[in-house]
Structure formats: C-alpha cells, structure tokens
Amino acid sequence: MAKELITKIEQGLKEKKARLEQELSSFATKDSGVKGDWDTTYPRVPEGDLEDAASEVEEYSTKLRIEFSLEKQLLEVNGALERIAKNQFGICKVCKKEIPQERLLAIPESAHCTECT
Ligand SMILES: [Zn+2]
C-alpha cells in the first residue's frame, strides 16, 4: 500500500481515537491499571428513593453497554495504529496475506482479510 495512503489512514485513525476517548471520558474514567480499560462511574444512589435508584441503575447499565462498544472500537483503532507503527498494516493476522486495499479504506481497523473474518 502506498505510503501516502497509510499516512492518510493513520491520520483518520488518530482522529477517531481522540473522538472515542473524548466520548468515553465524558462518563467513564480510564483504568490506569489495565491497558485500554475504562470504568463507568457508578451512579450515586440517593438514599431512601427507590424509584430514583432504579433509574440510576438503569442508566448505569446503558452506559456500560456504550462503554463496552466504545472500548472495543478504541482497542481496534489502537491495534491498527500499532500495526502501522510496526509496518504490519494491511497484513492479515491469520493468513499473513495482504488485506485488499478497498477493505482497508472502508474499515481501516480490520486486522483480517475478507476470508479470515
Ligand atoms: Zn486472512
């Protein structure tokens, strides 16, 4: 793959990474102990108000689902950036063949070729 194209993809990935981290940090804190892990802040449950408590817990589980999805995307983006840094970008993790350029342009995070997905 052409170097300019990789640079362009890298730029896009970095922007996506910043966006994902910003979204995550709006409701979760980065777990400094585990690489790539974020923790959703548990809601402060008001004492004696069960209805409020229930909706807070519900909100928390929604956030957890979003956190999980954002975290997954972030890991994929980071993985792609690592592959670029190691000069392994565009190589399928499983069969080590080159991933078709169209696929990489559509999904730059993909670590597998169309056959190994
Ligand atoms: Zn493959």
Side-chain angles (χ1 to χ4, degrees):
M1 185 179 273
K3 203 167 184 277
E4 308 88 74
L5 207 53
I6 294 186
T7 312
K8 213 174 140 205
I9 288 177
E10 185 180 16
Q11 189 59 38
L13 284 166
K14 281 184 178 163
E15 277 165 25
K16 189 169 181 185
K17 182 183 168 169
R19 214 159 51 230
L20 288 168
E21 282 185 334
Q22 197 186 13
E23 250 180 276
L24 269 167
S25 62
S26 69
F27 65 88
T29 38
K30 204 169 189 171
D31 188 331
S32 48
V34 188
K35 195 182 171 227
D37 193 33
W38 291 68
D39 287 322
T40 297
T41 324
Y42 198 77
R44 181 190 53 83
V45 178
E47 266 175 60
D49 195 333
L50 284 176
E51 216 167 283
D52 263 18
S55 72
E56 293 248 6
V57 171
E58 200 181 297
E59 198 189 313
Y60 177 71
S61 63
T62 308
K63 281 180 181 168
L64 271 187
R65 273 197 298 277
I66 302 172
E67 184 210 318
F68 184 74
S69 140
L70 290 172
E71 216 175 75
K72 190 167 166 276
Q73 291 180 61
L74 191 59
L75 280 178
E76 284 169 1
V77 168
N78 281 333
L81 285 169
E82 260 174 50
R83 287 193 295 282
I84 290 176
K86 287 182 190 160
N87 251 330
Q88 288 165 354
F89 185 70
I91 308 294
C92 172
K93 262 187 168 177
V94 178
C95 67
K96 314 285 177 205
K97 280 186 206 153
E98 270 184 43
I99 302 171
Q101 190 164 306
E102 309 81 67
R103 180 175 163 80
L104 285 171
L105 288 175
I107 323 161
E109 296 94 314
S110 46
H112 304 105
C113 70
T114 3
E115 279 166 47
C116 300
T117 306

